[in-house]
Amino acid sequence: MWCMLERVKPPRFRYCEARSVDEALALLAEHGDDAKLLAGGQSLIPMLNLRVARPAVLIDVNRIAELQTVETNGALRIGALVRQRRAERSEPVRAGAPLLGQALRFVGHPAIRTRGTIGGSAAHADPAAEIPCVLSALDAEFELRGGAGARVVGASEFFVTTLTTALAPTELLAAIRIPAPSARARSAFLEIARRHGDFAIAAVAVSVELAEGGAIERARICFANLADVPYRAHAAEKALRGARIDDERAVREAAEAAVGDASPASDLHASARDRLDLAKVLLRRALGAIAAGGSA
Amino acid sequence: MSAAQPSDAKRLVTLTVNGLERSGVAEPRTLLVDFLRHELGLTGTHVGCEHGVCGACTVRMDGEPIRACIVLAVQAQGASIETIEGLADGEALHPIQQAFREAHGLQCGFCTPGMVLAVQSLLEENADPSEQEIREYLSGNVCRCTGYVGIVAAVQRAARKLAGAE
Amino acid sequence: MPDRPEITGTLLQKPQYVGTRILRTEDPRFLTGRARYTDDVRLPGMLEAAFLRSPHAHARIASIDVSAAQALPGVHGVFTGRDLAAVLAPFVSTVAGRGGVRPLTQHAIPFDKARHVGDPVAVVVADSRYLAEDACDAIAVEWEALPAVVDPEAALAPGAPLVHDDVPDNNFAHIEFASGDVERRFAEADRVFSKRFHHGRLSPAPLETRAVVADFDRSTGAVTIWTSSQTPHLVRSLLVPVLGIPESRIRVIADAVGGGFGLKCQVFKEEAVIPALSKLVGRPVKWIEDRREHLAASVHAKEVISYLDIACTREGRFLAFRARYVGVNGAYQAHPWTALVDPMTTAAALPNLYDVRDVAYQIDCPYTNRCMTGAYRGVGRTPGTTARESLIDDIARELAIDPVELRLRNCIGDAPSVSATGARYDGGTYRACIEKARAACDYDGFRARQAAARAAGRHLGIGFSPYVEPTAWGSDMAKVQGYVASEIFDAAQVTVEPDGSVSVSAGLHNHGQGLETTLAQVAADTLGVRIEDVRVSMGDTAVAPYGFGTHSSRAAVIGGGTVMRAGTEVRRKMARIVGHLLEVSPEDVEFRDGAAQVRGVPGKRMTIAEIAAVAYFGGARRPPDMEPALTSTRSFDPHEVWPNGCVVAAVEVDVETGGVRIEKLWSVEDCGVLINPMIVEGQTAGALAQAVGGALLEELAYDENGQLLAGTLVDYLYPSSTEVPPMEFLHVETPSPVTEGGMKGMGEGGLSVTGAAIVNAVADALAPFGITITRTPLSPTTILALLREARERRAAPTAA
Ligand SMILES: Cc1cc2nc3c(=O)[nH]c(=O)nc-3n(C[C@H](O)[C@H](O)[C@H](O)COP(=O)(O)OP(=O)(O)OC[C@H]3O[C@@H](n4cnc5c(N)ncnc54)[C@H](O)[C@@H]3O)c2cc1C
Ligand code: FES
Ligand code: FES
């Protein structure tokens, strides 16, 4: 993952704290490509320490209060700077996006989540990360702000490729909006990692809306680490529509269809082939867990 | 107020450490753990990886556990930091420290300061954790010596002590 | 070395402390952040060093330009291999007295070419580590890439690229051994079973990396070196020829050390470079190894490819063992034990506790373009045991004999005996430990549970791995392990101070083993004083008597022995003083709780403080021929000591995900007299956890170009609290007849054999699939691949 150089202290950079979004945007406008925003720092600072990231300017956004709010107004709106640990404990987040609550437990460890932010994880766009996977499954929308104004993009547009998003160098992610869940929605998040807290070898986020009697009206399924962006399993979503969630055969067929054209990477921890196989297993198990009523 | 200008100049960082106000000089790139250890002389906090994975550098910032190797010293300006040096009350060990001793929760001692502070946060959040909860909470703090047997036992013992049951 | 006179150990009489779970006396300073590790040392004017290391596995250094780095503010010097060669002699590594070994001369920093990723090419001294790294960034190296040799067996093949131009076949050593008539046994056997087992490459990875601070004093020509070492005296002695400084002017201090696990019982080139830098720049210099250097450029361990054949009867009686071991070294030799520390000790342990008289082995130890290999807790035994025990389970399945039964059938008897490889076992409870383990894990109950689970589509498995293992490395043990010409011992000094308090100083080192407590227990019982009155210190060559440090499960046995011997002399002297003053026979004086008591005469009593006052300042009150003071320094070099035990692992394998969950581990151990059961269990727990890592998680994988794939802790996976299972510890206590105190030494067995138990448990769980395990670690990917192959194998005949 990181190239072999023996460095553990950050290279020199210029630093300042932005006290408002406008100030941050002004700084970004001025330093653009040379600058990086510093949110929780839980991905960025390790990369600085190893000197695989060498930004000339670091703009610390941690003290911008307006990025730290959680609001529910129909949809759930999570400020980009909301810490993962806070989101995990937040009643509005748990109610407005149960899947996010389920997934956060798998993100690193408590002492990482106390600093790491929801928006930072999204902006970092690691294909193995849980939060982007969940946000994609939930059809979240991303509020971007730049000098030229604000724009809102959907998940499929936001995540471009590994460690790359639709954010321009002069833009910042301000908040994430998650549509209110239907009262009939049930969800599950499952992952396989080498150890608890590690990035996923493969993970699945599933949210289904069930009709009376258990037929699936709508399924939303997204995998982590199956592609260079969170991988929405549209084929499986379609295959499941109308099927009963406890119909093992339908579930099995949907799982087979799920990985479609995904072409995951091979690395030290799993081969591409394993990832495809694991994804199918995860989806079956996640649906099984929902059917068994294990997860809400 | 005009926007702050980025600079790489050294600056004075003032913060509260274990209840006392302390200041020291840091470059923007100085890691909090280096600042605590080398600028403030608090060498009880250890460094095992400097890329955020091992947990040896765990301290508490504004009451929450963090990894001091992936936080900049300048970010701790004005914060309240707790390190292992602040836990005992004079010569009397804190109940968590006592429990670590009684349950043989340490061997070489290198992970111990970070581990103890993580346990402090765990028990503040959950006064009576199950073994599984203990293992999950501490899974980011590596111990190479104990196999976690003594550590898990120490947390259970500390929980009883703090509840006044021991 | 000629045979030494027999040693017969003595046991402590009516011990008050030995055998009890005394809490560790050293704990408070670790719990409060007061312990002083090497990185905590701060000296006036101290500078910091950083190494520039090779990104290539094998590349010629065409040129190095350090001028830009040198010009940076805050940089005090940039030194290449050539610069250092002017002030440092090379290390020469070999195994003295052993045929078939080609000594290697190695410079502190190479200057012709880099031989592995992480090989140093230059070192910077600057005001801070931050600046030193900036300077490393500014060094321009022109590389000419060379073909790398990564596969050890390819390295041995003719025409392979050479790691060292003067080692024509890349082989450090070729060793052969045979006893009995192995070939005939194989020819006669009903069945012959064979296996190639490739054990994974591991790092001891103590949580504290290596660290050195050196302060060379130009005015005296003396140097003080703080280093994170298990063996301070060894560092001192081995640096003498390299630094060219007399031993009396080198002081080595290893205060708190954050774990060693064998890694820090080696003497590293960096331990010579940092003192040299201090001399060159005239100021103290600190180097703290970072984790990536540690993973890429300290030592790796335990990667051995074993080819093992077992000849046996239809009934499962083992007739002969034949093995070939390829120790997968990297580019250099870990000093002084060399890369043979794995394959040579693997081979020495081949018959282990099996009653087999016909044994033959061969060893090769090729260089490759990887990090060198060296000692890691349970040296050699881990890979060899995993290979042998997994083949034994294969045999049990093949012959349809219960695997525990098969082991019992072939197990040696309890009496002292000599193995086919020449090991002199001091007697034990070889069968009893296996049986005790079988009872502890409710073997029959597990088998019933397993059958029920299988019917429900779940895959449980259980694995055993019994052992007898070498501990307490002294001269005899070193010899039987292959270090034929080594003399290894330790010394301790026991002093009753003028106020009656007790100081113990030892050449061992305490880095987690609780030695400050256990040696105090032994000292208190030997002298009859209260444990609170004993202070044990270690780790400073200016203070401690000579010793070989703490490794190879030697500290408790040898340390305990030295303290008993020295303490007994001091006690005898005190008894003489008491006898003289109270006019009784010294034989009638007993010591307990810090006082001397004349047996049977309640009023006749003196405190240790009173005796000490006489010993130091009593003048004519002492017996006429007696010198003042109460101190003794004694050494101990025990015969071979062989504790034994058995580990059991119970696992569940998820055949859809390849995930292995260990339900529980059981360890039964007979390490003779237990000084402190709490500490023994702590050591076992740690070793078992490391074995979990080696069996399932940790792997220093290289790609075919010699790039290290696990260069950070994101990829080198320590077992964490969620992966290490609950454990149960059981003890059997058979005093050794050959040590002082009857202790046998322990600490490594868990890592030597638990991997084998886990491998066997996984194989047992997967038995219905007909798979054979031939490598570690058992990552999900490995298990899924095994299952896939098994499926394909089964599908093949029908398809054809
Ligand atoms: C040991 C360890 C284990 C971890 N395990 C996991 C894991 O299992 N799963 C997982 O998902 N993550 C894991 N993480 C990463 C963690 O979740 C990070 O917190 C997260 O990836 C980044 O969030 P951050 O707030 O820390 O962002 P930072 O590190 O501050 O920033 C990351 C990147 O995003 C950019 N950025 C941040 N915020 C914004 C914004 N508002 N607008 C525009 N750009 C922005 C930054 O410029 C930077 O490029 C782990 C981290 C560590 C150290
Ligand atoms: S040193 Fe900070 S997590 Fe390892
Ligand atoms: S006690 Fe040594 S790392 Fe935990």
Side-chain angles (χ1 to χ4, degrees):
Chain A
M1 170 177 179
W2 285 311
C3 69
M4 278 302 315
L5 294 162
E6 290 65 35
R7 308 287 191 279
V8 286
K9 306 296 183 191
R12 210 184 287 269
F13 52 77
R14 287 180 287 143
Y15 169 91
C16 73
E17 274 184 319
R19 277 152 296 186
S20 67
V21 170
D22 288 338
E23 202 176 291
L25 292 177
L27 285 161
L28 279 176
E30 191 181 336
H31 301 286
D33 277 337
D34 295 338
K36 275 251 170 229
L37 295 180
L38 175 61
Q42 303 300 286
S43 291
L44 183 52
I45 297 181
M47 293 172 76
L48 294 174
N49 290 4
L50 303 177
R51 300 198 179 200
V52 293
R54 295 170 181 260
V57 174
L58 222 53
I59 303 165
D60 188 340
V61 294
N62 278 280
R63 296 196 201 236
I64 304 180
E66 58 192 296
L67 294 177
Q68 312 199 12
T69 54
V70 175
E71 296 155 71
T72 327
N73 184 359
L76 174 70
R77 184 177 180 279
I78 305 177
L81 250 287
V82 169
R83 311 251 180 230
Q84 296 155 5
R85 191 86 178 129
R86 181 172 151 223
E88 189 182 353
R89 294 173 183 153
S90 149
E91 212 24 70
V93 172
R94 286 208 282 218
L99 193 50
L100 187 55
Q102 288 160 344
L104 280 169
R105 208 189 114 214
F106 294 97
V107 179
H109 308 282
I112 288 161
R113 302 199 291 271
T114 53
R115 293 293 297 168
T117 65
I118 300 285
S121 178
H124 190 58
D126 187 322
E130 292 84 0
I131 294 168
C133 174
V134 167
L135 296 178
S136 298
L138 294 178
D139 293 316
E141 293 177 325
F142 298 79
E143 289 181 24
L144 316 188
R145 288 193 44 193
R151 60 185 179 124
V152 175
V153 301
S156 59
E157 197 183 329
F158 182 76
F159 295 108
V160 175
T161 180
T162 306
L163 307 190
T164 309
T165 66
L167 281 161
T170 51
E171 278 182 320
L172 125 183
L173 173 63
I176 293 158
R177 284 192 226 150
I178 300 173
S182 130
R184 297 191 306 279
R186 294 286 177 275
S187 62
F189 185 91
L190 289 186
E191 98 168 29
I192 292 169
R194 294 294 299 274
R195 300 171 302 180
H196 179 79
D198 284 347
F199 278 96
I201 290 177
V204 70
V206 179
S207 172
V208 293
E209 285 160 33
L210 296 179
E212 289 296 325
I216 297 175
E217 286 183 336
R218 170 151 198 214
R220 291 188 277 195
I221 298 165
C222 188
F223 292 107
N225 224 359
L226 269 207
D228 57 356
V229 291
Y231 183 85
R232 260 309 269 273
H234 294 294
E237 293 178 1
K238 208 159 128 200
L240 284 170
R241 196 169 302 149
R244 286 178 51 91
I245 188 150
D246 55 1
D247 177 347
E248 279 181 25
R249 188 153 150 231
V251 164
R252 196 167 284 277
E253 281 171 9
E256 285 306 313
V259 298
D261 59 351
S263 56
S266 287
D267 61 23
L268 187 59
H269 304 299
S271 67
R273 166 108 193 240
D274 295 333
R275 291 203 156 90
L276 294 174
D277 288 351
L278 291 172
K280 297 173 197 172
V281 173
L282 284 172
L283 177 55
R284 264 197 286 116
R285 291 188 180 177
L287 290 167
I290 294 174
S295 311
Chain B
M1 198 198 278
S2 69
Q5 270 313 306
S7 141
D8 63 1
K10 288 187 176 164
R11 55 189 78 190
L12 191 70
V13 175
T14 303
L15 67 180
T16 306
V17 183
N18 301 325
L20 296 177
E21 191 179 291
R22 302 285 304 265
S23 344
V25 174
E27 279 187 89
R29 63 167 163 171
T30 306
L31 301 172
L32 177 59
V33 71
D34 288 330
F35 180 78
L36 292 171
R37 290 178 47 79
H38 303 308
E39 182 71 12
L40 301 185
L42 293 164
T43 54
T45 303
H46 299 149
V47 168
C49 72
E50 293 163 284
H51 48 274
V53 185
C54 75
C57 64
T58 305
V59 299
R60 288 165 29 115
M61 180 154 139
D62 297 327
E64 300 241 53
I66 59 152
R67 300 193 158 175
C69 75
I70 48 174
V71 171
L72 303 176
V74 291
Q75 295 188 285
Q77 170 67 36
S80 164
I81 302 284
E82 293 161 70
T83 70
I84 191 68
E85 286 91 346
L87 202 58
D89 180 6
E91 280 193 10
L93 294 180
H94 184 278
I96 297 174
Q97 292 168 316
Q98 284 170 21
F100 266 74
R101 182 165 187 225
E102 290 161 11
H104 194 25
L106 66 153
Q107 289 181 22
C108 81
F110 203 73
C111 71
T112 309
M115 194 69 83
V116 164
L117 292 177
V119 169
Q120 192 184 9
S121 286
L122 163 63
L123 293 178
E124 278 172 14
E125 291 171 30
N126 181 351
D128 184 22
S130 67
E131 174 166 346
Q132 188 51 36
E133 285 169 334
I134 295 169
R135 287 185 180 273
E136 200 168 308
Y137 196 96
L138 297 181
S139 62
N141 287 75
V142 170
C143 175
R144 190 59 157 170
C145 296
T146 63
Y148 308 99
V149 172
I151 292 175
V152 170
V155 178
Q156 290 165 333
R157 194 179 260 263
R160 290 197 300 275
K161 279 183 193 287
L162 290 168
E166 195 171 282
Chain C
M1 205 183 328
D3 262 0
R4 298 182 294 135
E6 279 305 316
I7 297 168
T8 349
T10 46
L11 292 179
L12 281 163
Q13 297 308 309
K14 292 191 249 162
Q16 188 177 359
Y17 298 107
V18 167
T20 65
R21 295 176 180 260
I22 297 257
L23 299 186
R24 298 202 320 173
T25 52
E26 56 264 61
D27 281 350
R29 72 174 185 276
F30 293 106
L31 283 164
T32 53
R34 287 299 304 263
R36 242 192 12 155
Y37 298 88
T38 303
D39 193 17
D40 304 340
V41 172
R42 199 160 144 191
L43 303 173
M46 189 172 74
L47 303 173
E48 291 206 61
F51 288 86
L52 177 73
R53 294 177 182 272
S54 169
H56 299 285
H58 198 191
R60 200 160 293 286
I61 304 167
S63 69
I64 304 187
D65 183 355
V66 302
S67 51
Q70 206 119 40
L72 288 174
V75 172
H76 294 259
V78 183
F79 304 93
T80 63
R82 247 176 247 291
D83 300 332
L84 287 172
V87 293
L88 284 178
F91 286 80
V92 181
S93 303
T94 189
V95 178
R98 174 107 239 177
V101 176
R102 235 193 238 119
L104 181 74
T105 300
Q106 19 187 6
H107 293 281
I109 294 186
F111 41 87
D112 51 344
K113 59 179 187 175
R115 293 178 178 81
H116 67 94
V117 166
D119 208 359
V121 284
V123 60
V124 174
V125 183
D127 283 337
S128 74
R129 172 77 188 215
Y130 290 74
L131 293 171
E133 290 188 13
D134 293 350
C136 284
D137 281 346
I139 299 173
V141 185
E142 207 183 315
W143 295 102
E144 276 166 22
L146 297 170
V149 51
V150 183
D151 181 290
E153 292 176 295
L156 290 170
L162 296 184
V163 177
H164 295 279
D165 296 342
D166 53 348
V167 184
D169 55 2
N170 281 326
N171 205 1
F172 174 60
H174 178 82
I175 295 172
E176 295 190 5
F177 170 91
S179 91
D181 193 346
V182 175
E183 296 315 316
R184 201 172 112 210
R185 291 300 198 141
F186 270 92
E188 288 171 359
D190 295 334
R191 301 287 302 267
V192 171
F193 296 91
S194 302
K195 178 163 210 164
R196 176 187 193 268
F197 199 99
H198 190 157
H199 194 278
R201 196 174 190 84
L202 304 179
S203 168
L207 200 54
E208 183 205 29
T209 54
R210 294 180 294 151
V212 185
V213 174
D215 186 8
F216 182 82
D217 182 343
R218 286 178 175 168
S219 69
T220 59
V223 65
T224 305
I225 303 168
W226 288 260
T227 178
S228 185
S229 176
Q230 302 171 225
T231 58
H233 283 98
L234 203 59
V235 172
R236 193 183 73 181
S237 293
L238 295 179
L239 286 183
V240 168
V242 180
L243 293 176
I245 298 175
E247 195 148 0
S248 57
R249 292 185 188 211
I250 304 176
R251 176 180 180 191
V252 176
I253 303 174
D255 194 341
V257 168
F261 314 116
L263 184 130
K264 295 173 185 172
C265 76
Q266 287 148 139
V267 178
F268 290 95
K269 291 165 205 155
E270 288 88 342
E271 288 173 314
V273 171
I274 304 305
L277 294 176
S278 175
K279 191 170 175 179
L280 286 168
V281 301
R283 286 169 64 171
V285 177
K286 173 190 274 188
W287 170 66
I288 305 301
E289 181 186 45
D290 68 57
R291 184 57 64 183
R292 288 206 294 175
E293 297 182 280
H294 186 78
L295 291 173
S298 56
V299 293
H300 293 176
K302 298 201 188 293
E303 185 175 9
V304 174
I305 301 173
S306 306
Y307 291 89
L308 185 58
D309 306 316
I310 297 183
C312 69
T313 67
R314 228 165 268 113
E315 296 74 38
R317 186 77 188 91
F318 302 156
L319 301 174
F321 288 170
R322 185 171 57 199
R324 173 161 180 256
Y325 297 108
V326 180
V328 188
N329 188 20
Y332 298 103
Q333 295 299 337
H335 200 62
W337 313 107
T338 80
L340 281 172
V341 78
D342 264 333
M344 199 162 68
T345 52
T346 295
L350 175 55
N352 207 273
L353 47 61
Y354 299 110
D355 188 10
V356 177
R357 306 312 311 170
D358 301 271
V359 172
Y361 63 73
Q362 291 187 20
I363 299 168
D364 287 295
C365 195
Y367 291 104
T368 65
N369 290 116
R370 316 194 202 185
C371 174
M372 65 184 176
T373 56
Y376 176 19
R377 195 180 205 170
V379 286
R381 274 100 69 192
T382 318
T385 303
T386 314
R388 185 189 59 241
E389 295 303 318
S390 89
L391 180 56
I392 290 176
D393 261 34
D394 293 348
I395 296 172
R397 265 188 295 277
E398 197 66 31
L399 298 178
I401 301 174
D402 178 83
V404 185
E405 182 49 41
L406 179 60
R407 290 185 167 86
L408 287 168
R409 222 172 261 182
N410 287 287
C411 186
I412 54 172
D414 287 349
S417 59
V418 180
S419 83
T421 47
R424 288 195 291 167
Y425 299 148
D426 52 336
T429 47
Y430 313 109
R431 281 205 175 96
C433 281
I434 301 177
E435 282 160 355
K436 193 168 175 128
R438 179 166 64 180
C441 69
D442 182 18
Y443 188 63
D444 296 338
F446 186 91
R447 289 288 180 207
R449 218 156 40 90
Q450 179 183 44
R454 249 177 215 166
R458 288 176 53 197
H459 301 275
L460 310 185
I462 194 160
F464 280 64
S465 184
Y467 64 93
V468 55
E469 67 159 350
T471 58
W473 275 52
S475 305
D476 289 1
M477 187 57 89
K479 190 170 172 182
V480 77
Q481 297 298 324
Y483 294 92
V484 287
S486 304
E487 177 156 15
I488 298 181
F489 67 95
D490 252 88
Q493 182 177 49
V494 173
T495 304
V496 173
E497 305 288 0
D499 68 347
S501 64
V502 178
S503 302
V504 176
S505 177
L508 294 158
H509 192 270
N510 182 31
H511 43 280
Q513 295 84 352
L515 276 180
E516 274 175 56
T517 308
T518 47
L519 294 188
Q521 289 175 268
V522 173
D525 277 340
T526 306
L527 291 168
V529 300
R530 295 179 314 156
I531 196 164
E532 306 84 274
D533 295 333
V534 182
R535 178 149 189 276
V536 178
S537 65
M538 279 166 278
D540 181 348
T541 61
V543 179
Y546 201 87
F548 282 76
T550 297
H551 54 89
S552 317
S553 306
R554 61 194 302 279
V557 178
I558 302 186
T562 55
V563 169
M564 271 177 73
R565 286 184 168 186
T568 302
E569 284 198 354
V570 172
R571 192 191 63 221
R572 289 206 181 115
K573 188 166 178 183
M574 293 195 297
R576 275 186 63 209
I577 293 173
V578 176
H580 180 70
L581 291 174
L582 302 183
E583 296 175 333
V584 295
S585 159
E587 273 87 80
D588 288 334
V589 180
E590 288 179 336
F591 292 86
R592 200 172 173 87
D593 292 329
Q597 170 70 53
V598 179
R599 199 174 295 133
V601 193
K604 289 211 166 186
R605 204 183 126 81
M606 276 180 85
T607 66
I608 300 271
E610 287 163 352
I611 303 168
V614 175
Y616 283 87
F617 316 120
R621 297 182 64 207
R622 279 194 301 275
D625 59 334
M626 187 184 273
E627 287 177 10
L630 279 173
T631 187
S632 165
T633 303
R634 289 291 306 271
S635 69
F636 186 38
D637 177 2
H639 287 314
E640 290 170 51
V641 183
W642 295 84
N644 64 279
C646 182
V647 170
V648 184
V651 306
E652 175 163 6
V653 182
D654 183 333
V655 297
E656 286 190 327
T657 65
V660 175
R661 189 179 63 84
I662 304 176
E663 279 187 357
K664 189 169 173 179
L665 297 171
W666 292 263
S667 163
V668 181
E669 179 152 49
D670 184 349
C671 61
V673 169
L674 295 170
I675 302 177
N676 186 329
M678 176 188 86
I679 287 175
V680 167
E681 288 169 9
Q683 290 293 305
T684 306
L688 261 55
Q690 288 176 326
V692 169
L696 301 180
L697 294 162
E698 301 172 34
E699 185 178 23
L700 288 159
Y702 282 87
D703 71 11
E704 63 281 6
N705 302 316
Q707 284 297 324
L708 178 61
L709 300 177
T712 68
L713 294 187
V714 175
D715 291 312
Y716 191 75
L717 307 178
Y718 278 113
S720 64
S721 47
T722 37
E723 287 70 46
V724 177
M727 307 172 187
E728 189 175 326
F729 311 106
L730 297 97
H731 306 288
V732 176
E733 209 169 333
T734 314
S736 169
V738 300
T739 66
E740 302 288 1
M743 282 86 79
K744 280 192 171 182
M746 59 79 54
E748 300 184 273
L751 181 54
S752 305
V753 307
T754 306
I758 295 169
V759 164
N760 283 343
V762 171
D764 182 47
L766 298 180
F769 299 88
I771 63 132
T772 320
I773 294 176
T774 58
R775 54 159 305 177
T776 57
L778 297 175
S779 64
T781 273
T782 307
I783 290 186
L784 289 174
L786 283 171
L787 288 164
R788 216 175 277 139
E789 282 160 27
R791 264 199 309 277
E792 281 158 14
R793 247 195 330 271
R794 281 187 190 181
T798 29

